[in-house]
Amino acid sequence: MRYRNLAIIAHVDHGKTTLVDGMLRQANVFGAHQQVVERVMDSNALERERGITILAKNTAVEWRGERVNIVDTPGHADFGGEVERALGMVDSCLLLVDAAEGPMPQTRFVLRKALALGLRPIVVINKVDRKDARPDEVASLTFDLMVELGADDEQLDFPIVHAVAREGRAWRDGEPEGEDLTPLFETIALHAPVASGDVRGPFQLQVANLDYSDFLGRIAIGRVTRGSAAAGDVVLRLTADGGEVRSRLKKVYTHLGLQRLEVERVIAGDIVAVAGIDEIQIGETITAPEAPEALPRRSVDEPTVSVTFSPNTSPFAGRDGRYVTSRHIAERLERELLTNVALRVEPLGGESYRVSGRGELHLSILIEQMRREGFECSVSRPQVIMKTIEGVRCEPFEKVVADVSAESMGAVMEALSTRRGQLLDLQQRGDRARLTFSMPSRALFGFRTQFLSMTQGEGLLSHVFDGYAPYVGPLRTRVFGSLVTMEQGEAFAYAIWKLQDRGVFFVGPGTEVYVGMVVGANNRTGDLDVNLTKNKKLTNVRAAGSDDNVLLVPPKTLTLEECLEYLADDELLEVTPKHLRLRKRTLDPHQRKREAKRDELAREADAALASA
């Protein structure tokens, strides 16, 4: 059997997973009695909730006697480690582009990786049934983007397929609209190269992903680059430090649809799974004993953002979680490093760990997974990772694309400019405008909520890491303080009502609060200590007009990402399976004031020393 290996790459929500659904259905992978949900490849609970692909996953279909191995990759740059591993297993790629939105920042990111590996793209312009679709213009923009990213002549000679993935239809550029995905399959058969590899040579496979079975242990997934292997064969695991560990394969699998099929032998060119090798890690090579040749490990982009994990020390610690100690947190982070190759963990001494990732989303997904598993911890404000390049202190920059209405364009431009953003491009189509900015990554912390308010929830904000540039100096991204409780107890409606003109509250009546807990955002700069446990005094004396009607503004419920964006340097996020609470690092208000005074004196002394 011949194999064709391709990855599907695109910006978030341009239709990758929906297209895979259609390909699986039309290749008759599912039985007639089988009930299949939409976006079947998004098997992770977080993926289905958020509507994005987080983990790279592979499947396969058979088409006219050939097997097409398909890798569904994440569309967000924060999960670039997944993208880089997946692209190393394939020979070509399907690049999906929205017929209305055109190439977006994440399109640039994944396409740059694919072109650098020499993959030949097949461009699929999806959602051509939209009223604002502009497929011809989008095709030209995609060509210009490939030229900008350094594509060679063969890569620029790409075929174009129009599609409505939601309806399972596709047709070639210039042809009548199709009724199914047959034109797409034919284009793949014509332009995606057949997987190569010496079938008769000694076995060789590089691990690109890991799975786990309660019966078999770790399962290594990767592409067989040379030879073949069967269950019971003796192989060598070549470790990262140059060691050789002899193992025996228990089972070997290939893929078809959503199933992992046990087979007698796997051969070169196929994307397979093998079981029986304990402690195997991503990037290691499995070879035949007579030819221990390690394949070069693929480089992964370095992290750009870090947070500090530490045990939960609030008065409510241990109420919700099962795993609350620093030992539990350390073991969980070590397990995550086995599969999350873009993550870095560094002990800070004591009970804290610095965890570095590609971005806020990358780290927030890890935090959400941990809290669902029963962990409790405290998380600090995200900080960008600085670098010194040729003696110059540099910081990460992002390319930001804001798709907004014409009415809110001025406000968004002003807000991004005040955060040290530089306007690179401005395009206007009808009553919509697309702004492209280059700005420091740290300038985006806390901006998304402000952006949604400016655009009445209609704006689209996308950004992608664009390299390091010289440090631009201090930024003030948060102009307001916090409302901090000064008493422990239950929050009363009467107290919130009396204070609600001071700011926006994050808690409602009946919520348990403790001293030092952040319960809202102050309207002014600086923090304000408040008492939410104060109730109305009840007496038998009544007078006309003395009883006011308590009308409360509903509290603002923050998501995990919004909590991380809100945090100030002296605040922590308390994460438990049931609650997300904002708090001050130092809970005692008197101690906080002493620390603030000490910091102010230290800054004045440094300024006086610098002027002298």
Side-chain angles (χ1 to χ4, degrees), residues 233-282:
D233 286 357
V234 176
V235 295
L236 285 183
R237 173 172 71 93
L238 307 182
T239 63
D241 57 3
E244 298 180 358
V245 181
R246 187 176 291 265
S247 302
R248 186 181 297 274
L249 298 181
K250 295 179 182 177
K251 302 280 187 181
V252 293
Y253 301 92
T254 187
H255 298 89
L256 183 62
L258 304 181
Q259 296 180 331
R260 193 174 285 158
L261 302 179
E262 184 179 352
V263 293
E264 293 183 0
R265 181 171 293 275
V266 291
I267 61 174
D270 197 5
I271 296 176
V272 304
V274 297
I277 306 176
D278 296 332
E279 300 182 1
I280 186 73
Q281 295 187 11
I282 290 173

Side-chain angles (χ1 to χ4, degrees), residues 89-194:
M89 296 190 292
V90 301
D91 302 303
S92 61
C93 61
L94 287 182
L95 173 65
L96 258 74
V97 187
D98 190 293
E101 295 181 2
M104 296 290 280
Q106 314 295 347
T107 312
R108 170 186 294 271
F109 168 77
V110 290
L111 183 58
R112 180 192 291 129
K113 298 291 183 184
L115 295 178
L117 291 172
L119 304 183
R120 293 191 60 183
I122 299 171
V123 175
V124 180
I125 300 178
N126 193 25
K127 303 184 182 181
V128 294
D129 58 333
R130 289 181 54 167
K131 292 181 180 179
D132 54 348
R134 43 177 186 143
D136 294 337
E137 185 179 348
V138 166
S140 299
L141 292 172
T142 305
F143 181 86
D144 295 340
L145 176 60
M146 289 192 188
V147 172
E148 182 184 343
L149 296 178
D152 59 31
D153 291 341
E154 286 189 356
Q155 290 171 328
L156 290 174
D157 188 21
F158 54 82
I160 298 175
V161 177
H162 293 180
V164 183
R166 181 167 44 84
E167 299 175 4
R169 299 189 297 119
W171 58 95
R172 299 181 187 88
D173 189 23
E175 294 184 356
E177 292 192 11
E179 298 299 324
D180 55 23
L181 294 177
T182 299
L184 176 61
F185 282 115
E186 291 175 347
T187 304
I188 292 172
L190 190 61
H191 293 276
V194 176

Side-chain angles (χ1 to χ4, degrees), residues 363-609:
L363 296 172
S364 70
I365 292 295
L366 170 61
I367 297 169
E368 182 64 31
Q369 288 173 335
M370 289 178 63
R371 71 184 290 236
R372 293 186 181 202
E373 294 167 11
F375 283 84
E376 276 192 22
C377 61
S378 294
V379 180
S380 71
R381 182 189 185 188
Q383 301 285 345
V384 296
I385 299 174
M386 300 288 187
K387 282 187 177 181
T388 301
I389 302 175
E390 297 181 355
V392 179
R393 189 186 184 200
C394 297
E395 63 176 320
F397 268 64
E398 306 266 338
K399 180 164 285 186
V400 182
V401 174
D403 203 334
V404 299
S405 63
E407 293 80 11
S408 56
M409 179 177 66
V412 173
M413 287 182 66
E414 182 181 359
L416 291 173
S417 298
T418 56
R419 291 173 176 248
R420 305 294 182 93
Q422 293 184 342
L423 182 64
L424 302 179
D425 187 30
L426 170 59
Q427 297 178 3
Q428 211 161 349
R429 285 196 307 123
D431 60 348
R432 302 290 295 180
R434 176 172 293 181
L435 312 172
T436 305
F437 275 81
S438 175
M439 59 193 304
S441 297
R442 58 195 170 99
L444 291 170
F445 293 166
F447 177 69
R448 187 173 295 275
T449 303
Q450 180 185 352
F451 173 78
L452 292 174
S453 299
M454 288 180 190
T455 60
Q456 287 79 46
E458 295 181 350
L460 296 174
L461 185 71
S462 302
H463 54 90
V464 65
F465 174 66
D466 198 37
Y468 276 81
Y471 178 66
V472 299
L475 285 173
R476 191 175 185 186
T477 58
R478 178 172 146 181
V479 297
F480 48 83
S482 296
L483 301 176
V484 188
T485 53
M486 53 193 296
E487 296 289 343
Q488 181 166 331
E490 182 179 319
F492 284 102
Y494 179 79
I496 296 174
W497 173 63
K498 285 290 187 181
L499 292 165
Q500 64 184 1
D501 61 336
R502 298 298 186 96
V504 178
F505 278 92
F506 304 149
V507 299
T511 304
E512 283 193 273
V513 297
Y514 55 80
V515 178
M517 179 174 164
V518 176
V519 292
N522 192 6
N523 286 337
R524 300 182 180 182
T525 57
D527 296 334
L528 178 65
D529 291 328
V530 297
N531 182 8
L532 297 189
T533 64
K534 183 178 180 181
N535 200 5
K536 184 178 181 180
K537 300 299 182 183
L538 300 178
T539 69
N540 290 328
V541 179
R542 292 289 181 269
S546 63
D547 288 335
D548 295 319
N549 192 18
V550 176
L551 297 175
L552 293 181
V553 177
K556 181 179 181 181
T557 303
L558 299 180
T559 64
L560 176 57
E561 284 80 12
E562 289 172 338
C563 288
L564 290 173
E565 290 176 353
Y566 178 85
L567 286 174
D569 290 333
D570 65 338
E571 294 171 350
L572 295 173
L573 172 62
E574 177 188 349
V575 180
T576 77
K578 297 180 180 178
H579 297 95
L580 295 171
R581 300 186 185 97
L582 298 167
R583 52 161 287 189
K584 290 293 181 180
R585 284 182 184 271
T586 304
L587 297 179
D588 185 356
H590 304 294
Q591 182 66 24
R592 283 203 307 274
K593 290 177 181 177
R594 287 193 290 268
E595 291 177 356
K597 185 65 175 177
R598 187 167 60 244
D599 293 342
E600 183 180 354
L601 292 175
R603 284 193 298 269
E604 291 176 356
D606 291 340
L609 186 63

